[in-house]
Each structure stands twice: as structure tokens, then as C-alpha cells.
């Protein structure tokens, strides 16, 4: 990764260099990224299968089996009724094994949010297509999700997923008036210091809210209270009221990133409200 830092210097950091894992997820605080070299894999095709009516008992008791049913699996829910599974299978892999769950194949195309145009969603019912036209839920050039929305997302350890699901279910109908849909998906552990998946396999709990911030805020607080026992890490770019002290305790390399920040940008040229919130000066 190449960056231009606050004093105009060009810095290149590569895998294996000291501090590399701190620069990959750096919230724009270290400089302007001008070039990236990515590790790629050969292109492949994917078929997408939607199953409806997944019982909550199955998801809570066997999350690893549900999310292991295909190459990529997302569960969409409103936290009250049965859930919907979107399973994405690489060509040549076994068919998604979901019959044991009691969920049934959808009889036509679906959109993650009830009532939204299904034509905005990527191809389903097992029709194969390039990975970049199946792994996203929404077609390029079409409105993603609802378009008019607020979002929040929290990552919890994969081993505690079932407990987190149960805790959110206990909120009952509270989120319903402001929730458009929730997506649940898994994320593999990585070494990057500020990644929500740093050092642990995680389950991401995503919430698509209505665009009414005043109505969403008190519900968001209740969601965060429910997830507090599970060391939930919020998405950096989405709504959260998590305290700095709470979040810093979840990241083993927090202070290492602070030192990296001071080294790359001692004058605070790239600082903004987000960076000042999480990494206040003089601390």
C-alpha cells in the first residue's frame, strides 16, 4: 500500500513490514492512499439459493452448520418471525445442505427487504453467474438495500453467536417500527489491528434502519445493551454509541495504532471528528 502522509512524503508498506497490519485498516488517519496491490484468486462462478422459514431454534443452536452450508451464507431477519437464508455456492461445490433446517426453497426471486423490487437483487434460484454478480446481494447500477436508510453493524465472536441471537430476540417487537431488515453473516479472523475481525472469527450483525435518527437512537442503545456481554465491536463507518474505553479494551493493538498515528501524522493534519472520538489527543 502506498500513502502520501501529512508532510507530503510517499510511504510504501508491504506485508511483513513493521506496522503493515496497522495501516491496512487505518480509518484514513495515516494519510491519503494512492495505490494498492491486491492478492487475487482465479475468477469463479456462483449460484445463489434463497431458503425461507428458517426456525430460530435451528439458527440459535446450530449457527456454525447454517453458515457453513455454502461458500457464502447470509441470514436476513426482523428478529421476530422465521428467517431467510441466502446461500451462495461456488460452481463445483456441493449443493447448499439446508433441508435439515426445515427452511424451504423460495418459489421465486426475493429482495432482502420485503416489498422492495426483486429486480434490484442479484440472480437467484441457482442460476450460475460470475462471482461479482452473485456474491453481492444487489445488482451493480441498481439501488442497493432500501437506499433511504441508516445502518449499524456489530461483530461478535463466532463461538458466542447463538447467545447473541437469543439476546437480540429477547428485545421482541421493540426494533420493528424502525428496522427494515437485519443481515447476519460470518467474517474470518484477520491480523489487522483495527479490523472488527482482528484476531477472531466473527459473526456480523447488521441493521438497516429507517432514516429517522431520533427514533432509531433509543432502539440502538437497547441493541448495544443486549450485545454488551459478547464483546461486540461496532463497524467504524456506521451508527454506534459505544464508549471509547469499552472499545479500546476489545483491541489488543489499540495503543500500537495510537503510536502509529502519532508517527505518521504528529500534527493531526488528517484528524477529523471520528479520529478525535476514538483517539483523542493527549491520551
Amino acid at each position: 500500500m502506498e500513502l502520501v502522509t501529512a508532510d507530503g512524503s510517499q510511504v510504501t508498506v508491504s506485508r511483513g513490514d513493521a506496522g503493515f497490519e496497522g495501516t491496512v485498516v487505518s480509518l484514513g488517519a495515516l494519510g491519503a492512499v494512492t495505490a494498492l496491490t491486491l492478492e487475487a484468486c482465479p475468477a469463479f462462478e456462483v449460484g445463489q439459493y434463497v431458503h425461507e422459514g428458517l426456525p430460530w431454534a435451528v439458527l440459535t443452536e446450530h449457527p456454525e452448520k447454517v453458515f457453513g452450508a455454502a461458500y457464502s451464507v447470509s441470514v436476513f431477519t426482523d428478529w421476530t418471525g422465521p428467517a431467510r437464508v441466502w446461500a451462495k455456492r461456488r460452481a463445483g461445490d456441493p449443493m447448499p445442505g439446508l433441508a435439515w433446517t426445515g427452511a424451504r426453497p423460495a418459489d421465486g426471486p426475493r429482495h432482502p427487504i420485503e416489498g422492495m423490487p426483486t429486480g434490484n437483487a442479484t440472480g437467484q434460484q441457482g442460476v450460475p453467474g460470475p462471482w461479482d454478480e452473485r456474491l453481492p446481494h444487489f445488482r451493480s447500477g441498481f439501488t442497493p438495500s432500501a437506499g433511504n436508510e441508516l445502518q449499524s453493524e456489530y461483530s461478535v465472536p463466532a463461538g458466542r453467536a447463538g447467545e447473541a441471537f437469543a439476546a437480540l430476540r429477547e428485545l421482541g417487537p421493540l426494533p420493528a417500527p424502525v428496522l427494515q431488515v437485519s443481515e447476519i453473516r460470518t467474517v474470518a479472523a484477520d491480523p489487522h489491528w483495527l479490523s472488527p475481525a482482528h484476531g477472531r472469527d466473527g459473526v456480523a450483525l447488521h441493521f438497516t434502519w429507517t432514516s429517522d435518527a431520533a427514533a432509531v437512537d433509543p432502539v440502538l442503545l437497547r441493541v448495544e445493551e443486549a450485545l454488551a456481554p459478547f464483546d461486540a465491536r461496532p463497524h467504524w463507518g456506521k451508527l454506534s454509541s459505544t464508549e471509547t474505553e469499552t472499545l479500546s479494551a476489545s483491541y489488543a493493538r489499540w495503543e500500537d495504532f495510537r503510536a502509529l498515528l502519532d508517527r505518521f501524522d504528529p500534527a493531526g493534519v488528517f484528524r477529523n471528528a471520528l479520529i478525535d472520538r476514538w483517539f483523542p489527543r493527549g491520551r
Side-chain angles (χ1 to χ4, degrees):
M1 181 163 66
E2 297 177 11
L3 304 95
V4 174
T5 59
D7 65 1
S9 300
Q10 181 171 316
V11 176
T12 300
V13 290
S14 300
R15 183 177 294 156
D17 293 346
F20 174 75
E21 290 82 5
T23 61
V24 173
V25 181
S26 54
L27 313 181
L30 304 183
V33 178
T34 57
L36 292 170
T37 300
L38 303 178
E39 183 177 359
C41 66
F44 55 94
E45 290 207 328
V46 172
Q48 182 167 223
Y49 304 81
V50 177
H51 287 68
E52 300 179 303
L54 177 70
W56 266 101
V58 171
L59 186 61
T60 300
E61 295 171 15
H62 304 287
E64 71 290 340
K65 289 184 66 177
V66 173
F67 289 102
Y71 176 75
S72 174
V73 175
S74 290
V75 171
F76 289 93
T77 179
D78 62 4
W79 298 103
T80 55
R84 196 181 270 172
V85 184
W86 288 45
K88 301 164 191 275
R89 163 187 169 267
R90 288 184 301 187
D93 285 355
M95 292 291 290
L98 292 167
W100 65 274
T101 67
R104 62 190 182 279
D107 60 6
R110 298 289 189 266
H111 189 286
I113 300 176
E114 296 281 356
M116 293 295 293
T118 59
N120 291 358
T122 48
Q124 299 161 37
Q125 298 182 292
V127 178
W131 64 272
D132 58 319
E133 295 179 6
R134 292 295 183 272
L135 294 181
H137 301 313
F138 306 104
R139 295 170 61 194
S140 177
F142 289 74
T143 301
S145 192
N148 185 19
E149 63 197 59
L150 300 172
Q151 296 185 3
S152 55
E153 183 176 320
Y154 302 89
S155 176
V156 300
R160 305 201 67 187
E163 297 173 81
F165 300 161
L168 290 172
R169 287 271 289 169
E170 289 179 4
L171 295 177
L174 175 70
V178 293
L179 180 67
Q180 300 192 61
V181 75
S182 272
E183 179 184 1
I184 309 169
R185 56 189 174 82
T186 55
V187 181
D190 65 50
H192 308 303
W193 297 353
L194 293 187
S195 166
H198 175 72
R200 72 188 194 194
D201 291 337
V203 171
L205 306 163
H206 172 85
F207 300 83
T208 297
W209 307 107
T210 64
S211 58
D212 185 348
V216 168
D217 284 347
V219 177
L220 189 60
L221 288 173
R222 292 287 301 278
V223 167
E224 292 181 340
E225 289 172 2
L227 295 176
F230 311 110
D231 191 19
R233 297 170 177 171
H235 189 294
W236 295 106
K238 300 180 182 181
L239 295 178
S240 166
S241 63
T242 305
E243 298 290 340
T244 302
E245 293 74 14
T246 300
L247 191 58
S248 62
S250 183
Y251 286 91
R253 306 300 297 269
W254 188 272
E255 291 304 321
D256 292 330
F257 181 79
R258 186 190 296 278
L260 200 65
L261 177 60
D262 291 341
R263 176 160 67 88
F264 271 74
D265 190 16
V269 172
F270 286 99
R271 279 188 169 271
N272 55 27
L274 178 74
I275 302 305
D276 287 340
R277 172 185 174 185
W278 297 115
F279 298 93
R281 295 172 185 267
R283 298 263 311 264

